[in-house]
Amino acid sequence: MIKEIIFVFCLLLLFATNVWGTQINKPTFKTKISRTGFLVIATDRGFVGNNETNSIFKNFNKDYLAEIVYVGRKYDGLSSNYSIYIQEALNSFNKSSVSNIVILPLFLSKYNHILKEIRKNISAYRFSGKIYLNETISESYLSAQILLDHINKLSKNPSKERIVILGRGAVDKKTEILMKRELEKLSKYVKERHSFKSIQIGIYYSYNSQEKLREIKDREVDEIVIHTAAKKGKTLVVPFFIGPKYSNMMSLTHFFDRKFVDIDLIHNSDEILLHPNYLHWMKKTANSYLPVSSEETIGIVIMPHGATKPYNDAVEKTIEPLKLKYKVEMAYGMGDSVTIQKAVYKLEKQGIKKIIFVRMYPTSNQLKEKTDYILGLSDKIPLQWDGLIPAQIRNSAIINTFGGYEEDNLIAGIFLERIKEFSKKPEEETIILLAHGGSNDKAEIQRKIKMKKHIDWLQKQFSQPFKKIISLALREDWPEKRENALNEIKKIIKEGNKGGKVIVISNRLYGSGPYQHYLKGLNFKMNSKGLAPHPNLTNWLEKGIDLAIRNNFITKDKTDVSQWNPSPPDKVTLASD
């Protein structure tokens, strides 16, 4: 009996030991990740038209979780035949655990009557998450570029040509006026670049409007075309709408070809949807809703001034460490739109959806206005010496920018090293931090104020403070300003040589530019290295890039990370709330 008890006890002990010795895993719960899907809603254009639309959607769907729904002009809410397609798409998102849907409306005008009905009824459909309705492409400069391209394809001599832009889709006087305003805004983009004899806009009415009103209004538009064509000079007619296309013969564009066949005009029947900018817009809109993921590679475009090979090599040695973490492209110059477009295009070809554009210039405002315009981040046309308007890039990536290395405390550390390389007796030495400088007097005053902080810090790094440390700029590119600046520099050098020595530190990205030429005959020593290459300059780049990434590319104006303030994407309405 005792043996049996012992045996049972040993078995229990063995079992208990095995249980205690076994690692018991805690149940794993899947963390719910917020997924965003894109519901593309397009007008039902018929067999050929829908195939064209679908070709664009397929390209979009390669990179984004998306569904497409075609909705016709008779859609009037939940009871419509098209409702089943909308609900099926929403069900598909539910099955894919999508928590946020963004509606991308493939309508040119935000006043389209179909879109108005969708906006009114979308919240009534069954979906467990939130639905956001984005604006149409007419709100983007990318649509203005489509119009410009369609006109440029026809135009030979703008000063002798008249333009008639034809819109379509109004249902009453109010929508006619609103749609006309949209096209006027787009035509302004054209007017800023070409001087045509005239640009007129006509809006044809939708079949959803009252028949008599439509007939009257459509005749009015016909008269605009006919009367314009009767005038001296060439008349270019540009239909700018997304119309039905049941077949290649039964299409609205083909209808216009026949409508004005006996009138002396030049007509462009190219489809808007097939223009590359439409896909750019779809992707750019989608990218604006997607936060940076941990697996995502960020693209960097760096814009230094650029010069000869030694200059460029010094800059690229500075940025070389960045290539271990990011895709980097260079865009040397002072806001060269062609070079910037190529750099952005190279990154997008590699699948990059988020790009940080770095103005590698001393102050944060240098070339900001110009490059923000080129990058499509601002509508304000920059002033240029040649009076020309720089081209805006055509892209799909979301872009943030920063610049102004001289404003960061890290740069003071480079000044310190450059000074130590020449300094012997600080108390007897005058240090001149000599910069290139700009044309704007107010900007130069602000630059000196910011440099004062660096100078105060530099003085504290030596047991014996310098006789003087001063920040000056030669302003070499502007003869009148250069003369005044040079007189001040010469004065400081002469004063510094009275009982002491003068050391000039080149406060340029690389080298010393024309300093030796302009300061010839004066008594001073100069550290002509410039700032690059230096680890602190690399650290400045990394610091700005890291800030942009940590802010998830969501900025108040979607331009400069230094002005970051969290806010939802611009011009978005929450349709499901």
Side-chain angles (χ1 to χ4, degrees):
M1 181 67 177
I2 294 173
K3 288 182 178 179
E4 290 175 354
I5 293 171
I6 293 172
F7 177 72
V8 172
F9 177 77
C10 288
L11 283 175
L12 291 170
L13 185 63
L14 179 61
F15 178 75
T17 303
N18 285 338
V19 171
W20 294 334
T22 302
Q23 183 178 357
I24 302 175
N25 294 321
K26 294 180 179 180
T28 55
F29 299 98
K30 289 185 178 180
T31 304
K32 189 175 181 180
I33 300 172
S34 178
R35 300 188 74 194
T36 299
F38 299 93
L39 177 57
V40 178
I41 296 185
T43 182
D44 184 358
R45 303 172 60 213
F47 179 74
V48 174
N50 289 350
N51 279 343
E52 289 179 350
T53 305
N54 201 47
S55 67
I56 301 163
F57 174 74
K58 283 182 178 179
N59 279 326
F60 177 76
N61 201 23
K62 290 176 185 177
D63 300 315
Y64 305 91
L65 177 60
E67 297 283 342
I68 187 167
V69 173
Y70 297 96
V71 181
R73 67 179 181 85
K74 293 183 179 181
Y75 173 79
D76 57 2
L78 288 174
S79 60
S80 167
N81 292 338
Y82 290 97
S83 281
I84 188 173
Y85 304 121
I86 297 174
Q87 190 58 63
E88 284 176 352
L90 296 177
N91 292 344
S92 177
F93 284 124
N94 272 326
K95 290 176 183 177
S96 301
S97 301
V98 169
S99 53
N100 296 302
I101 289 176
V102 178
I103 294 178
L104 296 184
L106 293 197
F107 298 84
L108 181 63
S109 172
K110 65 179 179 181
Y111 304 109
N112 183 286
H113 67 278
I114 301 173
L115 189 55
K116 180 182 177 182
E117 288 296 322
I118 290 170
R119 187 182 290 111
K120 184 171 68 177
N121 291 284
I122 192 66
S123 61
Y125 293 93
R126 297 185 304 279
F127 178 65
S128 58
K130 294 183 176 181
I131 301 176
Y132 295 88
L133 179 61
N134 197 80
E135 291 285 7
T136 60
I137 193 174
S138 63
E139 297 295 303
S140 169
Y141 76 94
L142 291 170
S143 62
Q145 288 181 331
I146 298 175
L147 177 61
L148 179 65
D149 288 351
H150 281 203
I151 291 174
N152 283 341
K153 185 176 179 179
L154 302 177
S155 177
K156 303 297 181 185
N157 189 353
S159 63
K160 296 182 179 179
E161 296 166 343
R162 302 177 192 275
I163 305 293
V164 179
I165 302 170
L166 301 178
R168 183 178 180 272
V171 293
D172 51 33
K173 185 63 178 176
K174 181 180 178 181
T175 53
E176 177 194 349
I177 292 170
L178 292 172
M179 287 182 170
K180 190 172 183 180
R181 284 177 185 170
E182 283 181 322
L183 291 182
E184 283 171 348
K185 180 182 176 183
L186 300 185
S187 68
K188 182 174 179 288
Y189 195 87
V190 177
K191 290 176 182 177
E192 289 166 346
R193 289 156 177 79
H194 296 300
S195 296
F196 289 100
K197 288 177 77 70
S198 67
I199 295 182
Q200 295 185 81
I201 295 168
I203 305 293
Y204 284 107
Y205 272 53
S206 165
Y207 282 108
N208 281 50
S209 61
Q210 294 178 359
E211 185 176 356
K212 287 185 178 180
L213 177 63
R214 183 178 72 251
E215 290 175 354
I216 293 169
K217 288 295 183 179
D218 286 0
R219 277 199 299 270
E220 288 179 4
V221 178
D222 289 346
E223 288 300 313
I224 291 173
V225 176
I226 294 167
H227 288 164
T228 304
K231 295 177 181 179
K232 186 178 180 180
K234 295 283 186 181
T235 296
L236 315 181
V237 175
V238 182
F240 206 69
F241 49 79
I242 301 169
K245 197 169 187 178
Y246 304 105
S247 68
N248 287 303
M249 293 294 291
M250 295 175 64
S251 67
L252 201 58
T253 48
H254 186 68
F255 168 76
F256 280 110
D257 288 340
R258 300 194 309 271
K259 188 179 184 72
F260 300 117
V261 68
D262 295 326
I263 300 174
D264 185 20
L265 53 78
I266 302 171
H267 170 242
N268 186 342
S269 58
D270 289 349
E271 296 287 349
I272 296 172
L273 272 175
L274 298 180
H275 192 285
N277 271 22
Y278 227 113
L279 184 59
H280 282 319
W281 172 78
M282 292 173 70
K283 290 183 174 182
K284 179 174 280 194
T285 301
N287 291 337
S288 71
Y289 284 91
L290 298 175
V292 179
S293 68
S294 57
E295 300 84 16
E296 186 172 358
T297 302
I298 303 298
I300 313 294
V301 175
I302 300 178
M303 185 189 74
H305 184 286
T308 56
K309 184 170 174 55
Y311 181 112
N312 297 348
D313 286 349
V315 171
E316 296 198 28
K317 187 176 180 180
T318 299
I319 63 102
E320 189 65 29
L322 300 178
K323 294 180 179 179
L324 298 174
K325 294 173 63 178
Y326 312 107
K327 297 287 186 180
V328 181
E329 291 294 336
M330 303 301 294
Y332 288 105
M334 299 178 70
D336 184 331
S337 58
V338 175
T339 304
I340 293 171
Q341 175 71 77
K342 287 180 179 178
V344 170
Y345 176 76
K346 285 181 182 178
L347 291 175
E348 289 187 336
K349 286 290 284 183
Q350 299 174 70
I352 299 298
K353 296 177 180 177
K354 305 288 196 309
I355 293 174
I356 300 168
F357 182 85
V358 184
R359 299 180 300 278
M360 205 169 180
Y361 280 77
T363 61
S364 56
N365 64 341
Q366 272 183 285
L367 295 172
K368 184 180 188 306
E369 184 178 281
K370 181 179 181 181
T371 54
D372 276 3
Y373 182 79
I374 291 171
L375 296 169
L377 303 176
S378 169
D379 294 329
K380 185 179 179 182
I381 297 174
L383 294 174
Q384 296 201 114
W385 65 270
D386 56 7
L388 299 177
I389 300 175
Q392 291 182 290
I393 66 170
R394 301 167 184 228
N395 74 299
S396 57
I398 298 301
I399 300 176
N400 273 340
T401 79
F402 72 93
Y405 56 77
E406 190 182 81
E407 297 170 7
D408 196 288
N409 294 336
L410 286 165
I411 303 307
I414 306 179
F415 292 147
L416 179 63
E417 285 192 23
R418 299 294 184 252
I419 291 170
K420 283 183 175 180
E421 288 168 359
F422 277 71
S423 176
K424 303 296 182 185
K425 292 183 178 181
E427 65 274 16
E428 297 179 5
E429 296 165 344
T430 296
I431 306 295
I432 299 176
L433 304 174
L434 189 56
H436 178 289
S439 63
N440 189 294
D441 293 338
K442 290 182 179 179
E444 282 302 302
I445 292 170
Q446 289 299 313
R447 192 187 68 81
K448 283 188 177 183
I449 291 171
K450 291 174 181 177
M451 283 294 294
K452 178 70 166 54
K453 295 179 181 178
H454 297 331
I455 291 170
D456 291 343
W457 180 84
L458 287 168
Q459 286 284 30
K460 294 175 183 177
Q461 307 310 304
F462 295 85
S463 55
Q464 289 289 327
F466 285 91
K467 182 179 177 181
K468 188 173 192 175
I469 302 180
I470 187 170
S471 171
L472 297 173
L474 182 56
R475 308 180 79 175
E476 61 219 52
D477 293 337
W478 302 272
E480 290 184 9
K481 297 181 186 295
R482 180 182 65 221
E483 185 178 353
N484 293 332
L486 192 55
N487 288 335
E488 184 182 5
I489 295 167
K490 289 178 178 180
K491 178 184 175 183
I492 297 296
I493 291 176
K494 289 176 182 178
E495 288 176 355
N497 282 321
K498 294 176 182 178
K501 295 182 179 180
V502 176
I503 300 173
V504 175
I505 304 296
S506 176
N507 181 14
R508 301 171 81 102
L509 195 55
Y510 176 79
S512 59
Y515 293 167
Q516 291 285 9
H517 168 74
Y518 285 109
L519 303 180
K520 188 176 181 179
L522 298 172
N523 185 22
F524 65 93
K525 289 185 178 180
M526 181 164 67
N527 190 328
S528 59
K529 285 183 178 179
L531 302 176
H534 195 281
N536 278 21
L537 206 53
T538 306
N539 291 341
W540 171 74
L541 289 165
E542 290 176 334
K543 182 178 173 183
I545 292 167
D546 182 61
L547 179 61
I549 295 171
R550 284 191 288 109
N551 289 339
N552 287 328
F553 282 80
I554 299 174
T555 61
K556 187 176 182 181
D557 59 2
K558 293 189 178 181
T559 55
D560 202 310
V561 294
S562 62
Q563 305 297 320
W564 180 73
N565 186 18
S567 64
D570 293 340
K571 298 177 182 175
V572 173
T573 54
L574 185 57
S576 60
D577 282 358

